[in-house]
Amino acid sequence: MAIRRIVTKEDNILHVVCKPVEVFDEKLAQLLDDMHETLEKAQGLGLAAPQVGIRRRVALVDTGEEILEFINPVILKKSGKQRDIEGCLSCPDEWGYVVRPNKCKVRAQDRNGEFYEVTLTELACRCACHEIDHLDGHLFLELVDEFVTDEGEE
Ligand code: ZN
């Protein structure tokens, strides 16, 4: 395993649509293993492949109980609303309030290509939405309705 460099928002790869994963091979497993290690080191809640320079629909989401591997994830259903402070490993020192659904159902593939579905709420739902946005070239900054300073207050 290896720690990969996390790119910042100036990098074009964070602003393009990522390509679906079609081959579930050792290279994908290696990418996922590296992303786990990179996420742990960075102490984040989620990480998308474009953040480590890979233009593929792959993301990790920490639910608080486990770290889900999302390959080609799709949000099937979303409901409710939550508004809270969000940040991003690719946007260090930028924080702001974002409204997200409070609950979502995601369909994704695992590293072997098997489909599964998972329902996420609250912070895990926020994290999933944030990471899936990355796969479509979107940053949370586009959704912030109020930025906060380092002190957590305006
Ligand atoms: Zn992010």
Side-chain angles (χ1 to χ4, degrees), residues 55-95:
R55 193 179 168 186
R56 289 285 175 183
R57 304 187 78 81
V58 176
L60 299 181
V61 169
D62 189 344
T63 68
E65 286 167 11
E66 61 177 328
I67 296 177
L68 295 172
E69 297 183 343
F70 280 175
I71 321 290
N72 302 327
V74 177
I75 297 177
L76 298 177
K77 234 195 268 183
K78 46 190 174 185
S79 61
K81 248 187 209 177
Q82 55 169 322
R83 181 177 181 269
D84 211 339
I85 295 175
E86 207 165 298
C88 177
L89 294 174
S90 293
C91 313
D93 307 322
E94 290 190 272
W95 304 86

Side-chain angles (χ1 to χ4, degrees), residues 69-131:
E69 297 183 343
F70 280 175
I71 321 290
N72 302 327
V74 177
I75 297 177
L76 298 177
K77 234 195 268 183
K78 46 190 174 185
S79 61
K81 248 187 209 177
Q82 55 169 322
R83 181 177 181 269
D84 211 339
I85 295 175
E86 207 165 298
C88 177
L89 294 174
S90 293
C91 313
D93 307 322
E94 290 190 272
W95 304 86
Y97 283 93
V98 177
V99 175
R100 298 279 190 188
N102 197 48
K103 187 175 177 183
C104 65
K105 187 175 182 183
V106 176
R107 184 167 193 254
Q109 283 164 281
D110 66 16
R111 61 169 69 197
N112 301 312
E114 298 295 324
F115 284 93
Y116 70 97
E117 290 179 4
V118 62
T119 297
L120 300 169
T121 60
E122 299 174 358
L123 185 57
C125 173
R126 169 177 299 283
C127 183
C129 294
H130 177 120
E131 299 313 325

